Amino acid sequence: IEAWMLNKQTCLLNPNGIDFPRANVYKGSPNYPDTESLQNAINIFYKRNELPGFAELVTNRKEIIQETIQWDDGLNHVRAGNEIIDLIENTKSDIAKENISQKIQRIKQNLQYKLSPILRFFGLTKNIYQRKKRFNKQELSLYQNELLDEQIEFFKKNKLSKSDLRNIRCI
């Protein structure tokens, strides 16, 4: 499905035929029964930039996408975000209070993280220290800004305002 969303053609090599009862995704790609037919399809792809049989399954792919993730408009993250916003707005603040066990766990993790440069010599927090050392806050910030710029550009291209985005809902 991810390949289809990126406009990439897919195919299957399955000598036993189409025998995937656990998922419907196989219905969206041509199935080649042997290496000879697969190689032939690859050769055609390099000549025409099209896998034989792929275009004919466009309706199947649309149905599979709808059954699996409902939409292919690139806005599922907005739908999920709106559900989270609704949940936060409709949740009483006292529900999220920590119990004593959760509080102890949080304090323990915080201490391990902060003391990991010292405790790593004793092997107690070596993994935590390694992860802390690899984490780069500046790199994260740059990546976040890059993604935000891409999202804003996507929304502008699709002429979506903040109020439009807030109204995008799940079924």
Side-chain angles (χ1 to χ4, degrees), residues 5 22 55 58 68 78 86-87 94 99 103 107-108 111 116 123-124 128 144 151 167:
M5 303 294 279
R22 67 188 177 280
V58 67
T68 308
V78 174
D86 292 345
L87 183 65
D94 61 350
N99 64 36
K103 193 171 199 161
I107 291 168
K108 180 181 168 188
L111 283 171
S116 66
L124 301 173
I128 296 170
Q144 287 173 325
Q151 277 189 320
N167 290 317

Side-chain angles (χ1 to χ4, degrees), residues 138-149:
Q138 185 179 11
E139 188 178 308
L140 174 63
S141 180
L142 289 172
Y143 182 63
Q144 287 173 325
N145 290 333
E146 182 183 314
L147 290 180
L148 179 60
D149 291 343

Side-chain angles (χ1 to χ4, degrees), residues 40-89:
N40 183 48
I42 292 169
N43 294 342
I44 292 170
F45 177 80
Y46 280 119
K47 288 179 188 171
R48 301 183 199 154
N49 202 27
E50 186 178 315
L51 279 172
F54 186 79
E56 293 82 0
L57 299 171
V58 67
T59 304
N60 291 15
R61 286 189 294 279
K62 285 182 181 183
E63 289 173 4
I64 291 164
I65 289 168
Q66 187 176 13
E67 288 174 16
T68 308
I69 60 173
Q70 294 181 351
W71 296 273
D72 63 354
D73 59 6
L75 295 169
N76 282 347
H77 67 289
V78 174
R79 289 179 184 90
N82 285 335
E83 289 296 315
I84 292 168
I85 290 169
D86 292 345
L87 183 65
I88 291 169
E89 288 176 349

